[in-house]
Amino acid sequence: MSNQNKGASRRQFLTGAAALGAGAVAGAAKANTPDPLITEVQDWAAGLGDGVDATPYGLPIDYESDVVRRNVEWLTADTISSINFTPIHALDGTITPQGCAFERHHSGAIDLPKDDYRLMINGLVDTPLVFTYADLERFPRENHVYFCECAANTGMEWAGAQLNGAQFTHGMIHNMEYTGVPLRTLLNEAGLSGDMSGKWVFVEGADASSNGRSIPMEKALDDVLVAFKANGEALRKEHGYPVRLVVPGWEGNMWVKWLRRIEVMDGPVESREETSKYTDTLEDGTSRKWTWVMDAKSVITSPSPQSPIAHGHGPLVITGLAWSGHGAITRVDVSKDGGITWETARLAKPGEKMALTRFYLDTDWSGEEMLLQSRAIDETGYVQPTKAQLREVRGLNSIYHNNCIQTWHVKPNGEAENVEVS
Amino acid sequence: APAMAEKYGLGRPALPEEIAAWDHDVSPDGTGLPPGSGSVEDGEVLFSDNCAVCHGEFAEGVDNWPELAGGFDTLDDDDPVKTVGSYWPYLSTAWDYVHRSMPFGNAQSLSDDDVYAIVAYILYSNDLVDEDFVLSNENFLEVEMPNADGFIIDDRETTEYVNWRAEPCMTGCKDSVEITMRATVLDVTPDVEGDE
């Protein structure tokens, strides 16, 4: 089936579902005529499928061709220093498939073979060192699942409801299981002497943008990981192959890809990516800097504008994602009436620190309009704020760190729209 | 230093030439600046040849490409214009970033003196120096950046967290709800039905 046909059939399906709308009854309607998909022998039940040699490394089946990264052309001057979006509206669970996990580059996704890879540690260390890729694989490893959220995720929504879909409003995020070496192990190898309190590390990538960022030593020695595997396999080229930094709970910009150098320093470099960018301007014109942590946040991924209710009335699964850079998610509340009343959703698994958490609210829908919202609470007791609460402190121009409660307006025909409510 | 685990004897010492080749960062106090200088006059020619196609002859920006000059006193406006002159706190960042990552697509092609000259021209474009100004490692810290005091360290702990760590309302949380804004009115979302 060609992609063209796929698009057309999906459109027809959605139109049909919308037309069905309020009149549809719950799924258990009685069949009047036998279903030929059951009564007639289908090709796949008679003939043969593909051989095991057909697909050495597989892609999703054609019918899932809409579950892809999307670009929004008008957001940036070109596609090289730009962003695309994870199709979170179509995913479930918590692990993001790497092939559709969002990308953010400042000078493109570079091609850096393992053989050409070098990592330097220099500055205030006993012995500045150079590692090859093979060296890194000989250090003791750890595995951790963490979310990587771009500081600008939901940034286009500060001024109002702009983009119509969870992929676009909340899709600058992915969540992977990383394998790597703690940064502290590598720093120890180079040797840290004397008092390290108040010291910093400057980290930069091998690409032209370098993406240099300063990280306080306390965080560097805590949980920062120098990672070379994600979701079981090597990092994808666009995610930093062969080595990236993983900075749990902190803004995605600091997760330096194609990591090539770590310098121990007396102070922060105040690089471009922590002065001109990734600083948050408040209403009075002053700006916050070093806003590293991503606060607790959530979004309902279905129903949502790209994932309308197509099955008529009756049982409905409301589901979404919650996460916090401060630790584990302990609770997610869902409202169907724009925040007047709330009920506590079910977490698929107990929340893990600085990782995506899946929630479900299993409900019954009779075609009534809904104003769907979700509200995350983390282990520090922090409750995800409304956009009004955020604006009251920050104004409209801080660009980054928009963790407001999102509202979807679900209409009687099952379609959903990104809205703001009073 | 904290008591650390054993060493593994992996990696090898970095040579001075290798460190010099990769360690280019410049800090706000000027640490990392190489000796050199460049004039506004030379910078104007270099900027025209290497930068103006995106950033404009006067650093004013072309199309969606970044504006490097202007925007003074706009940071508390509805639509702030953030440039090197209006926003950037440290000149070191301009030198460091131009040297390491510009021109876009041909980074690390400028000599140290070229970078001093281009940064001098960007200062001139922002009316921060005169046309006969020469920037060097000697006078670098004398340049005053207008927004040097415009930044505060992350204060969410006191301005937000203390207020938002409270048991939230569950029922009767407000009297009514009205839709105040709709994304479909703007209609700027890519067509997600059409396959690319």
Side-chain angles (χ1 to χ4, degrees):
Chain A
M1 187 183 279
S2 78
N3 284 346
Q4 291 271 304
N5 288 338
K6 173 74 177 61
S9 66
R10 182 172 155 77
R11 263 190 296 279
Q12 283 158 5
F13 170 73
L14 287 173
T15 311
L20 215 63
V25 290
K30 195 169 62 176
N32 294 318
T33 54
D35 184 351
L37 282 166
I38 298 170
T39 56
E40 293 173 15
V41 175
Q42 301 296 308
D43 288 349
W44 59 75
L48 304 174
D50 294 336
V52 295
D53 58 347
T55 314
Y57 197 112
L59 289 171
I61 198 164
D62 288 346
Y63 316 126
E64 297 297 315
S65 62
D66 59 329
V67 186
V68 291
R69 297 188 276 233
R70 300 272 181 189
N71 171 41
V72 177
E73 226 170 79
W74 55 265
L75 278 178
T76 49
D78 76 338
T79 57
I80 303 297
S81 180
S82 192
I83 187 83
N84 63 27
F85 299 86
T86 304
I88 56 169
H89 64 288
L91 302 177
D92 212 319
T94 58
I95 295 295
T96 312
Q98 293 197 78
C100 64
F102 88 102
E103 304 168 68
R104 203 294 186 233
H105 318 300
H106 292 78
S107 50
I110 60 166
D111 184 328
L112 176 52
K114 284 179 183 170
D115 284 349
D116 295 348
Y117 179 77
R118 299 290 184 272
L119 175 62
M120 181 184 290
I121 298 185
N122 72 311
L124 305 174
V125 293
D126 298 340
T127 311
L129 293 176
V130 171
F131 299 109
T132 63
Y133 178 82
D135 292 333
L136 295 181
E137 283 202 342
R138 297 172 67 190
F139 286 100
R141 291 172 215 169
E142 294 184 5
N143 287 277
H144 299 279
V145 177
Y146 295 123
F147 72 81
C148 173
E149 184 186 18
C150 180
N153 199 21
T154 323
M156 300 83 72
E157 303 291 309
W158 270 114
Q162 277 220 76
L163 286 161
N164 206 30
Q167 176 169 23
F168 302 106
T169 57
H170 291 76
M172 296 181 192
I173 193 165
H174 56 59
N175 192 67
M176 302 188 190
E177 183 196 45
Y178 293 98
T179 300
V181 179
L183 176 54
R184 86 178 86 81
T185 304
L186 301 183
L187 290 171
N188 182 56
E189 196 70 14
L192 300 178
S193 301
D195 185 8
M196 281 291 132
S197 60
K199 303 292 191 219
W200 294 67
V201 295
F202 181 66
V203 288
E204 64 176 351
D207 62 316
S209 83
S210 103
N211 198 52
R213 288 292 308 250
S214 306
I215 299 176
M217 184 58 79
E218 188 182 18
K219 179 72 173 177
L221 294 179
D222 181 14
D223 55 4
V224 176
L225 206 62
V226 175
F228 38 79
K229 296 275 172 79
N231 293 350
E233 61 181 354
L235 297 171
R236 294 292 170 94
K237 166 179 144 178
E238 62 270 29
H239 297 139
Y241 181 93
V243 177
R244 83 172 309 164
L245 208 62
V246 167
V247 191
W250 288 24
E251 60 188 12
N253 177 255
M254 307 178 82
W255 294 46
V256 173
K257 297 186 286 190
W258 313 291
L259 179 71
R260 86 167 189 186
R261 196 171 68 87
I262 300 158
E263 181 180 0
V264 178
M265 304 184 71
D266 280 321
V269 168
E270 302 270 14
S271 70
R272 186 252 197 184
E273 307 295 331
E274 55 205 19
T275 54
S276 170
K277 307 297 177 189
Y278 307 100
T279 50
D280 315 350
T281 300
L282 303 171
E283 199 156 27
D284 67 357
T286 61
S287 303
R288 289 171 173 165
K289 65 176 182 179
W290 305 345
T291 47
W292 299 311
V293 180
M294 302 305 292
D295 294 328
K297 185 168 174 178
S298 68
V299 65
I300 290 171
T301 52
S302 183
S304 66
Q306 296 160 279
S307 183
I309 303 172
H311 54 55
H313 303 167
L316 169 69
V317 174
I318 297 172
T319 186
L321 293 164
W323 61 96
S324 173
H326 292 281
I329 291 294
T330 52
R331 184 176 123 197
V332 179
D333 297 332
V334 170
S335 175
K336 298 176 198 166
D337 58 12
I340 297 174
T341 56
W342 296 85
E343 45 195 315
T344 297
R346 168 171 66 88
L347 304 187
K349 287 192 297 184
E352 291 175 44
K353 285 182 186 297
M354 288 90 83
L356 292 191
T357 299
R358 171 64 57 178
F359 66 85
Y360 297 104
L361 186 74
D362 306 298
T363 190
D364 199 77
W365 182 63
S366 314
E368 69 275 20
E369 288 191 51
M370 295 188 285
L371 291 168
L372 287 181
Q373 299 183 332
S374 62
R375 179 173 72 188
I377 302 175
D378 71 22
E379 64 179 295
T380 71
Y382 174 97
V383 181
Q384 182 183 359
T386 62
K387 203 185 279 185
Q389 283 177 293
L390 285 169
R391 283 174 178 159
E392 196 177 327
V393 178
R394 306 185 195 173
L396 289 172
N397 282 317
S398 58
I399 301 175
Y400 307 106
H401 292 280
N402 185 351
N403 65 321
C404 72
I405 289 173
Q406 172 67 44
T407 309
W408 305 129
H409 175 212
V410 178
K411 298 160 198 181
N413 67 5
E415 289 176 356
E417 185 183 359
N418 175 12
V419 298
E420 279 191 16
V421 294
S422 58
Chain B
M4 285 289 205
E6 59 180 306
K7 296 196 183 196
Y8 299 92
L10 295 168
R12 50 102 178 151
L15 299 175
E17 297 88 337
E18 294 171 330
I19 295 171
W22 275 9
D23 182 351
H24 290 150
D25 55 78
V26 180
S27 294
D29 66 0
T31 304
L33 272 180
S37 66
S39 65
V40 170
E41 198 180 353
D42 289 344
E44 184 171 18
V45 176
L46 285 162
F47 197 90
S48 185
D49 290 348
N50 295 285
C51 320
V53 63
C54 294
H55 296 294
E57 290 293 341
F58 306 99
E60 78 280 17
V62 174
D63 298 334
N64 260 345
W65 298 101
E67 300 164 57
L68 306 182
F72 291 98
D73 302 319
T74 65
L75 296 181
D76 58 357
D77 288 1
D78 288 345
D79 202 3
V81 178
K82 299 179 178 183
T83 71
V84 175
S86 72
Y87 193 63
W88 292 34
Y90 305 109
L91 191 61
S92 57
T93 312
W95 202 98
D96 173 289
Y97 185 68
V98 170
H99 182 234
R100 238 188 315 184
S101 299
M102 286 287 138
F104 191 64
N106 190 28
Q108 304 193 71
S109 61
L110 298 169
S111 72
D112 293 347
D113 286 343
D114 288 349
V115 178
Y116 279 107
I118 287 171
V119 172
Y121 180 71
I122 293 172
L123 290 171
Y124 172 73
S125 301
N126 278 287
D127 296 322
L128 296 173
V129 298
D130 295 328
E131 61 191 338
D132 58 358
F133 181 71
V134 178
L135 181 68
S136 73
N137 58 305
E138 303 287 337
N139 67 358
F140 197 86
L141 295 181
E142 292 166 20
V143 180
E144 285 184 35
M145 300 296 280
N147 198 41
D149 296 326
F151 294 80
I152 57 170
I153 295 174
D154 185 1
D155 64 349
R156 284 176 289 177
E157 187 71 45
T158 54
T159 56
E160 299 180 5
Y161 301 161
V162 290
N163 300 319
W164 298 342
R165 283 184 181 135
E167 183 58 30
C169 174
M170 294 300 285
T171 55
C173 301
K174 40 190 171 183
D175 293 334
S176 65
V177 172
E178 274 174 44
I179 293 174
T180 55
M181 205 175 273
R182 293 181 174 279
T184 52
V185 173
L186 281 173
D187 196 23
V188 291
T189 309
D191 176 15
V192 295
E193 302 295 338
D195 288 301
E196 285 152 340

